Amino acid sequence: MDFNIKVWRQSSPKAIGRFETYFLSVISPDISFVEMMDNLNKQLSDYKQDVIAFDHDCREGICGACSLYINGYAHGPDSEVTTCQLYMRMFRDGSTITVEPWRSRGFPIIKDLVVDRQAFDKILQAGGFVSVDTGGAPDANTIPIAKIDADKSLDASSCIGCGACVAACKNGSAMLFIAARTSALSFLPQGSIERAARAKAMVKKMDELGFGTCCNTGACALVCPKKISIEHIARLNRDFLLFT
């Protein structure tokens, strides 16, 4: 397969960015998008050109580091996958593929396709934890938890913090990320004690870091590779109102 790869290039946070197009040929339809980017960088390196900076780590859909905006979609045109799980057979042979970084005030560009996602860490540090004394692990194991609540907590905790929800939201909101993190704790007896204070602290930090408010379109859930439901946002809003 042959492709024209139209990539956003930006040498530094304050530099003026631009799109540059590269031709890439003889690409297997069975390699991932990240592997295609590796091939493109090898081609650029062979021609003594600056390689494209992009994030990647586990390449198994676990870490969320490979996040890219591809042809107008977070993580590309496939569903329920991260960029490293997106395969080149999803694209038409000979087509032009546009690759961009996340576009959000909360995720400033560092270089090319790499953005600074420390904001998510700061939001978690603001309240994404349990601070009450719940005893040791043996004590926790003696607390009965309904299976339906345990399942909902596990579903929410599957969020990998990739930022696709922010990239897809027209307001650049991080509400789905926060909602997933709060629900993962609030469904458990140990975490439910601080659910209201946790919601208030994390939403406040989100606002401070420049993320927008929830626009209620559901675009965040549509692009989430782990299928986090917007029901968690409704739960987050209820917890937030309990505190105010």
Side-chain angles (χ1 to χ4, degrees):
M1 302 180 75
D2 300 338
F3 298 102
N4 291 304
I5 312 299
K6 185 178 179 182
V7 184
W8 182 260
R9 305 301 307 266
Q10 186 170 331
S11 60
S12 66
K14 295 184 179 181
I16 297 176
R18 68 198 182 283
F19 279 107
E20 291 189 1
T21 303
Y22 307 95
F23 178 71
L24 201 57
S25 61
V26 196
I27 295 298
S28 168
D30 297 321
I31 67 171
S32 72
F33 198 89
V34 172
E35 290 173 312
M36 180 278 294
M37 293 295 295
D38 290 336
N39 289 347
L40 176 55
N41 272 344
K42 184 180 184 306
Q43 177 176 295
L44 292 174
S45 179
D46 289 343
Y47 284 97
K48 309 301 181 184
Q49 298 179 9
D50 290 336
V51 297
I52 300 165
F54 68 97
D55 279 327
H56 57 90
D57 191 4
C58 74
R59 302 198 178 206
E60 295 179 344
I62 298 173
C63 70
C66 60
S67 307
L68 296 174
Y69 213 69
I70 305 166
N71 283 353
Y73 298 93
H75 292 301
D78 205 353
S79 60
E80 299 175 23
V81 298
T82 53
T83 301
C84 62
Q85 297 172 307
L86 176 69
Y87 291 95
M88 298 311 296
R89 55 178 173 265
M90 292 295 299
F91 302 92
R92 181 172 53 84
D93 186 20
S95 63
T96 297
I97 302 174
T98 303
V99 190
E100 302 173 77
W102 283 168
R103 301 291 193 183
S104 168
R105 181 181 175 185
F107 295 147
I109 295 176
I110 297 175
K111 182 179 181 181
D112 295 339
L113 304 175
V114 178
V115 298
D116 184 351
R117 289 186 292 177
Q118 291 185 73
F120 272 8
D121 295 329
K122 294 177 181 178
I123 290 174
L124 288 177
Q125 291 165 5
F129 49 82
V130 174
S131 64
V132 296
D133 184 6
T134 59
D139 301 312
N141 289 336
T142 64
I143 301 175
I145 300 173
K147 185 179 186 303
I148 187 171
D149 290 336
D151 288 343
K152 288 180 178 179
S153 177
L154 286 173
D155 288 342
S157 65
S158 67
C159 170
I160 58 177
C162 66
C165 52
V166 176
C169 178
K170 64 181 181 181
N171 289 342
S173 175
M175 284 290 281
L176 189 64
F177 167 74
I178 296 175
R181 300 297 184 173
T182 56
S183 288
L185 297 175
S186 298
F187 275 113
L188 305 178
Q190 300 92 330
S192 63
I193 300 172
E194 300 175 300
R195 60 189 304 166
R198 181 181 302 115
K200 181 70 174 180
M202 295 179 74
V203 171
K204 179 181 179 182
K205 179 58 67 172
M206 178 190 76
D207 293 339
E208 290 176 359
L209 295 172
F211 294 96
T213 58
C214 176
C215 60
N216 294 312
T217 64
C220 53
L222 288 176
V223 301
C224 177
K226 301 303 178 182
K227 298 197 303 182
I228 303 296
S229 172
I230 58 173
E231 291 180 3
H232 293 297
I233 296 180
R235 186 173 297 106
L236 170 64
N237 286 332
R238 288 196 294 270
D239 290 347
F240 184 88
L241 290 174
L242 285 174
F243 189 87
T244 55

